[in-house]
Amino acid sequence: MDVLIVGAGSMGTWFGDVVDARVSFADLDRDAAAAAADSIGGAVADLKSETTYDVVCLAVPMTHVADAIAEQADRAERAIVDVSGVMEPAIAAMERHGPDLERVSLHPLFAPDRAPGSIAVVRNRSGPVTDDLLASLESRGNALLETTAIEHDEAMESVQAAAHAAVLSFALAAESVPAGFETPIYQGLRRLTEQVTGGTPRVYADIQEAFDGADAVADAAAEIAAADADELESLYREAAAGWQEQRGEGRDSDTGGDTE
């Protein structure tokens, strides 16, 4: 199987390494394509060419995936897939530009250096080629999470957009404290802050552009800031009940636990 990966960043390189195929990389930055190819024993391909492949995988930023699919779909003979992280626009573009192709959208729910892990999967039009690709991913220890494009993108509003907005808001709002004053919660948030701010800013910006969620965090923070003691206690109980319901626990939230 011949696979063209458009996008030679960390996620494209990860995908090329885990699939059982002959892999070529194409990228606006030809040096990046060469580096990715060297790292896994692949080849370099031209970004604009009439050369076709069994599979074309788009590993581009999520804000560009629909355009990339439109530009590259004709180079796929049997299947087109993406690992961009946003599914509704990707699937819509695949259906429009590759109606006769097998079509699968993938979102690895981890950074490549933390693989293997869970991979969200939408099989829009499955077949033997994409089944083989998915089997390759499973054989490397990844767990496939079957979903729909709508379910995935709605989940990312909380999992990514809201979560990142909350952590970045803390990072911007928190003041430096003297050594020894840290609490477990503060230390946990500091670790998350270091993790998020140690990433690639454009990736986080693309997530905020692609998914709603930050506004809800801002609204909740404003509500907390304006609440009196009774209102804040009510908000606390509302939050605790909501999380218990998500976990399926249904326990009484008034169990102490107000110390760190």
Side-chain angles (χ1 to χ4, degrees):
M1 183 190 307
D2 294 305
V3 176
L4 172 66
I5 300 176
V6 180
S10 59
M11 192 55 70
T13 304
W14 165 82
F15 185 78
D17 190 39
V18 297
V19 296
D20 184 14
R22 294 175 295 277
V23 174
S24 298
F25 290 94
D27 196 285
L28 286 171
D29 183 344
R30 195 171 179 85
D31 289 340
D38 287 345
S39 71
I40 68 163
V44 177
D46 291 330
L47 193 60
K48 294 184 178 181
S49 170
E50 294 183 358
T51 303
T52 59
Y53 300 80
D54 294 316
V55 181
V56 171
C57 172
L58 289 308
V60 300
M62 60 181 65
T63 52
H64 299 292
V65 66
D67 289 341
I69 290 169
E71 294 169 0
Q72 300 292 333
D74 288 345
R75 303 180 71 178
E77 295 179 0
R78 303 179 66 185
I80 186 166
V81 303
D82 85 287
V83 290
S84 67
V86 63
M87 291 187 165
E88 289 187 81
I91 290 294
M94 289 181 195
E95 290 175 341
R96 180 177 180 182
H97 300 286
D100 298 323
L101 298 171
E102 294 177 37
R103 301 181 296 270
V104 171
S105 186
L106 305 169
H107 183 190
L109 300 171
F110 50 85
D113 59 356
R114 298 188 178 190
S118 295
I119 301 175
V121 178
V122 172
R123 304 180 195 238
N124 183 250
R125 188 172 189 261
S126 61
V129 174
T130 49
D131 286 348
D132 284 348
L133 288 176
L134 295 175
S136 293
L137 298 178
E138 282 191 300
S139 71
R140 298 295 289 268
N142 297 288
L144 303 185
L145 175 63
E146 304 283 348
T147 185
T148 66
I150 292 175
E151 181 181 53
H152 169 271
D153 288 1
E154 287 181 348
M156 291 307 106
E157 293 180 3
S158 292
V159 171
Q160 289 192 315
H164 298 167
V167 173
L168 287 171
S169 296
F170 168 78
L172 293 168
E175 299 286 347
S176 178
V177 300
F181 281 88
E182 300 90 347
T183 65
I185 289 178
Y186 176 88
Q187 289 177 325
L189 285 169
R190 186 173 64 183
R191 285 192 294 270
L192 290 173
T193 295
E194 292 170 351
Q195 180 179 338
V196 170
T197 57
T200 303
R202 175 49 55 184
V203 171
Y204 290 93
D206 288 347
I207 288 170
Q208 294 301 330
E209 182 175 344
F211 303 115
D212 294 330
D215 287 347
V217 173
D219 291 344
E223 189 173 9
I224 290 169
D228 61 24
D230 290 340
E231 291 167 338
L232 186 56
E233 184 176 348
S234 178
L235 290 171
Y236 181 96
R237 292 182 181 278
E238 179 184 339
W243 279 103
Q244 287 173 357
E245 182 178 350
Q246 286 192 46
R247 295 195 303 265
E249 294 176 356
R251 296 194 304 261
D252 183 359
S253 63
D254 190 14
T255 57
D258 56 350
T259 62
E260 297 177 356

